[in-house]
Amino acid sequence: LSMPLRSADDPEVMFQVPGPTVSFSRLHYSVMESNGLCHKTGPEKHILRDVSGIMRPGMNAIMGPTGSGKTSLLDVIAGRKDPAGLKFGQVLIDGKMVDSDLRLISAYVVQDDILMGTLSVRENLLFSVNLRLDPRHYSAADKQQRVDSIIDDLGLQDCAHTKVSRTHLQRSGLVSLLSRSGKTIVFSIHQPRYSIFSRFDHLTLMHRGELVYAGAAGKALSYFTDLGYHCEPFNNPSDFFLDVTNGEAQSTLDITSFNYVSYRQSTQYQRVVEELDHLTHGLEGGVGGQGQKADYVTSFWYQMRIVGGRMVVNSLRNPQTSYAQLALNIFFALLVGLIYYQIPLTLPEALQNRMGAFFFLIINMVFGNLSAVELFINERALFIHENSSGYYRTSVYFLSKIFTDLIPNRIVPILIFSAIAYYMMGLKPAFTAFLLFTLTMSLVSLAGVSLAFLVSASVSSFAMANVLIALPFVFMMVFGGFLVNLNSMLSWLSWLKWISIFRYGLEAVTINEFKGQIFYSNTTILPGEVYLETQGIDYSTWGFWQNHVALAGIITVCMVLAYIQLRRINRWK
């Protein structure tokens, strides 16, 4: 594996292959300004204006004040900006056009650490190595050796088995180490102290989206001195450069205000242009080929094993949700069992208590899984970072999250809930009836969970997720057939019953319990089928199973839409 291009130090992977030369020519990047409602309005805002440069192996710093475009330039080079905004320009690696495969041969490190906090330093490094190194070419021993080398270089031997959330990774030393070994390090920085600035090999200075200097960091002071700007003794060069670009320093020459024209008239800019013309000779003009689909180093099933394994470990080390879900289901099972303990077959309590218990059960199955809305929100930043870096496919992350959440947090608690509540209430004693009851409860729960997954994949905040998930649940409950007679609804509202999880769950458990039962009072015998007919419920074999088919359909549709929403998450910066 070779990752020669670096946006900053990356403690995940070390390499021995020399870094490449990164060049960018006439980059024009702009965005449409939007109002609070996300409607695009007004003219385009130009972020980068005709930016060109060459960065070779070593430490390549991009400096400038806030809003100067330094981070945007870095993101465009790394392919992290929306390609639609790149109106013109090209990015080349060793004279070859860059495409989306760049993410597979480079590492991008954001300012804030985005790592799995429940994993140790070694485990996080090994996770990255497993997904970035082709298992066909690197053995498990090779990967372990690579991780050991990184830990040694970072001086993290004493905390290698400590959780990342308790560890602060040292960066500046690794950046210098990588650059001295011939790697190409490209990073943006605002105002470094002199001890850091002195390590820079190449400096790109930006102001309002344009280059004002690009060249050797050690020659930057003399360049500005030739323009009549004087840096006082003991003044930090980085502070001096920002004073110049912000107009806070005065030139002794006839320059009213500093601008990019001076740099464009310099001989070093002309040399850069000539070299870029040579590098881009024979290449088509226009926009570089970013935004194309990239392949992955590892296969789908290998990624499933690695990503799924990490999620299992994370669940085991952070079991609060699983424990809470299990405790909640046991509590409600005992509560329902005590309230409706051994429901008799005598009228009228036989009917009233059973229907009340069933409605209570369905409510618990649906609303008891609201915790599922956090599934894709908690790790949203981690997913975007790793997926954009080419670690794994979106489908791998989706399936891994689904399976590691459903089994411990949904399936197991439902089985325990059903076993406790069913026999405490004294429902139909046939074991097949219990199995059908458990199946119905499971499908109702999974239908509610799948809708929560869809909401979780669609929004990025818990506040919005809670609003969006509560609204359909309330409508489904109202049109579930218990609070309102479905046959007496207004015609323009009646269609809502077809999307109600409550309706399908309530009808299924009612048919399962009432069909074949005999209810009685002192003078009356009431077969369960008669009650079902009075409620307009089809208790035929298909009438029963159609509810399960409908619930399975809701689950499938919501899961597919959740996956689509996950793929639609904006990964561009």
Side-chain angles (χ1 to χ4, degrees):
L1 176 67
S2 174
M3 286 187 178
L5 174 64
R6 317 288 294 202
S7 62
D9 63 288
D10 182 6
E12 297 178 345
V13 188
M14 298 286 290
F15 312 97
Q16 301 301 323
V17 180
T21 296
V22 181
S23 59
F24 44 96
S25 176
R26 303 192 63 188
L27 297 179
H28 287 262
Y29 193 90
S30 60
V31 296
M32 294 292 293
E33 293 187 282
S34 60
N35 58 21
L37 298 177
C38 299
H39 295 153
K40 295 182 178 179
T41 58
E44 287 185 321
K45 180 179 180 180
H46 296 280
I47 307 300
L48 300 177
R49 303 170 183 263
D50 197 17
V51 177
S52 303
I54 300 175
M55 297 179 177
R56 296 180 172 83
M59 292 184 67
N60 298 269
I62 305 175
M63 279 181 53
T66 302
S68 63
K70 59 182 183 296
T71 304
S72 296
L73 174 58
L74 175 65
D75 291 336
V76 169
I77 294 173
R80 296 298 178 114
K81 278 287 189 184
D82 188 349
L86 186 59
K87 305 305 179 182
F88 195 86
Q90 297 173 327
V91 179
L92 305 178
I93 301 293
D94 282 338
K96 297 180 180 179
M97 188 77 72
V98 169
D99 57 22
S100 56
D101 284 336
L102 174 66
R103 68 178 185 172
L104 303 181
I105 61 169
S106 66
Y108 185 94
V109 179
V110 296
Q111 182 175 356
D112 299 320
D113 291 330
I114 303 180
L115 298 168
M116 184 70 74
T118 56
L119 269 61
S120 68
V121 173
R122 176 177 292 277
E123 289 169 335
N124 271 292
L125 294 175
L126 188 59
F127 175 80
S128 176
V129 168
N130 278 329
L131 293 175
R132 303 301 294 269
L133 295 180
D134 193 334
R136 295 172 297 180
H137 303 146
Y138 295 86
S139 66
D142 294 333
K143 296 174 182 179
Q144 288 288 354
Q145 184 177 5
R146 187 63 59 87
V147 171
D148 291 338
S149 176
I150 299 169
I151 291 175
D152 291 341
D153 289 329
L154 288 174
L156 296 175
Q157 297 90 338
D158 294 337
C159 56
H161 299 285
T162 303
K163 291 182 180 180
V164 168
S165 56
R166 305 175 185 173
T167 306
H168 176 68
L169 298 173
Q170 300 299 322
R171 295 188 171 186
S172 59
L174 182 61
V175 171
S176 179
L177 175 65
L178 288 173
S179 64
R180 297 300 170 254
S181 63
K183 305 301 178 291
T184 303
I185 315 292
V186 184
F187 58 95
S188 66
I189 193 167
H190 179 68
Q191 204 166 354
R193 63 181 185 267
Y194 179 74
S195 61
I196 295 179
F197 177 83
S198 61
R199 298 181 178 183
F200 297 169
D201 298 303
H202 185 276
L203 175 65
T204 299
L205 188 60
M206 300 193 67
H207 182 63
R208 295 181 180 176
E210 297 172 319
L211 289 183
V212 295
Y213 176 80
K219 297 181 179 179
L221 272 178
S222 61
Y223 169 80
F224 286 103
T225 300
D226 293 341
L227 293 178
Y229 294 96
H230 177 64
C231 181
E232 298 180 356
F234 307 109
N235 189 8
N236 186 353
S238 61
D239 296 336
F240 167 68
F241 297 147
L242 293 184
D243 289 342
V244 172
T245 56
N246 289 331
E248 298 175 4
Q250 300 298 320
S251 173
T252 57
L253 302 181
D254 187 18
I255 300 178
T256 55
S257 62
F258 182 80
N259 55 55
Y260 72 98
V261 176
S262 301
Y263 172 68
R264 288 182 175 272
Q265 294 174 345
S266 66
T267 56
Q268 63 188 83
Y269 176 75
Q270 298 304 321
R271 288 196 297 268
V272 170
V273 171
E274 291 175 2
E275 186 171 353
L276 286 174
D277 289 340
H278 175 72
L279 289 172
T280 59
H281 179 70
L283 297 177
E284 295 182 1
V287 180
Q290 297 189 12
Q292 302 171 357
K293 184 179 178 180
D295 293 326
Y296 292 86
V297 174
T298 53
S299 67
F300 172 85
W301 294 111
Y302 184 86
Q303 291 178 7
M304 280 291 296
R305 182 167 67 85
I306 299 299
V307 178
R310 182 180 70 167
M311 291 181 180
V312 170
V313 171
N314 181 53
S315 299
L316 293 175
R317 294 179 182 176
N318 189 28
Q320 290 85 348
T321 300
S322 300
Y323 289 160
Q325 201 69 32
L326 183 61
L328 182 68
N329 276 274
I330 293 176
F331 171 77
F332 276 106
L334 292 173
L335 180 63
V336 173
L338 291 174
I339 294 175
Y340 299 100
Y341 185 74
Q342 297 298 311
I343 305 175
L345 294 174
T346 56
L347 298 172
E349 58 268 22
L351 304 181
Q352 181 180 359
N353 288 1
R354 276 175 170 79
M355 294 307 299
F358 293 161
F359 184 69
F360 193 89
L361 292 173
I362 300 299
I363 287 180
N364 177 66
M365 287 295 99
V366 175
F367 284 95
N369 290 291
L370 288 177
S371 62
V373 297
E374 71 177 13
L375 189 72
F376 298 115
I377 297 178
N378 274 345
E379 298 177 3
R380 195 180 187 90
L382 179 67
F383 162 70
I384 292 175
H385 174 69
E386 293 179 342
N387 182 254
S388 300
S389 299
Y391 279 50
Y392 45 71
R393 298 164 175 82
T394 302
S395 57
V396 168
Y397 180 80
F398 178 78
L399 293 175
S400 298
K401 289 293 289 184
I402 294 299
F403 289 134
T404 54
D405 179 84
L406 289 184
I407 295 176
N409 298 336
R410 318 299 164 191
I411 303 300
V412 173
I414 292 171
L415 296 178
I416 297 175
F417 174 90
S418 300
I420 295 175
Y422 190 87
Y423 289 106
M424 285 188 70
M425 290 188 296
L427 301 180
K428 188 183 292 185
F431 185 67
T432 54
F434 166 71
L435 293 180
L436 292 175
F437 174 85
T438 303
L439 173 64
T440 303
M441 292 294 103
S442 299
L443 288 176
V444 169
S445 178
L446 293 180
V449 167
S450 63
L451 184 57
F453 287 168
L454 173 58
V455 172
S456 180
S458 303
V459 299
S460 58
S461 68
F462 286 112
M464 183 60 70
N466 288 329
V467 172
L468 292 180
I469 194 62
L471 194 61
F473 279 174
V474 170
F475 271 96
M476 288 180 181
M477 180 173 63
V478 171
F479 296 98
F482 184 81
L483 301 178
V484 178
N485 188 293
L486 299 179
N487 297 321
S488 64
M489 283 190 208
L490 295 175
S491 58
W492 61 277
L493 286 176
S494 60
W495 64 272
L496 290 170
K497 66 184 180 182
W498 299 109
I499 60 172
S500 173
I501 298 173
F502 290 82
R503 177 209 171 191
Y504 296 119
L506 195 59
E507 285 195 2
V509 294
T510 302
I511 295 171
N512 183 57
E513 174 64 18
F514 279 70
K515 186 176 181 180
Q517 289 272 53
I518 300 295
F519 304 99
Y520 58 89
S521 64
N522 292 332
T523 59
T524 305
I525 294 178
L526 178 68
E529 289 81 355
V530 174
Y531 174 79
L532 294 173
E533 289 175 358
T534 61
Q535 298 299 312
I537 298 176
D538 180 6
Y539 57 86
S540 65
T541 301
W542 169 243
F544 173 73
W545 287 106
Q546 69 180 355
N547 297 292
H548 297 86
V549 172
L551 289 172
I554 293 175
I555 295 171
T556 302
V557 170
C558 288
M559 287 294 190
V560 171
L561 291 178
Y563 173 68
I564 293 174
Q565 287 296 89
L566 203 62
R567 288 187 62 89
R568 293 181 66 249
I569 289 179
N570 183 18
R571 292 161 175 77
W572 305 113
K573 297 186 67 178

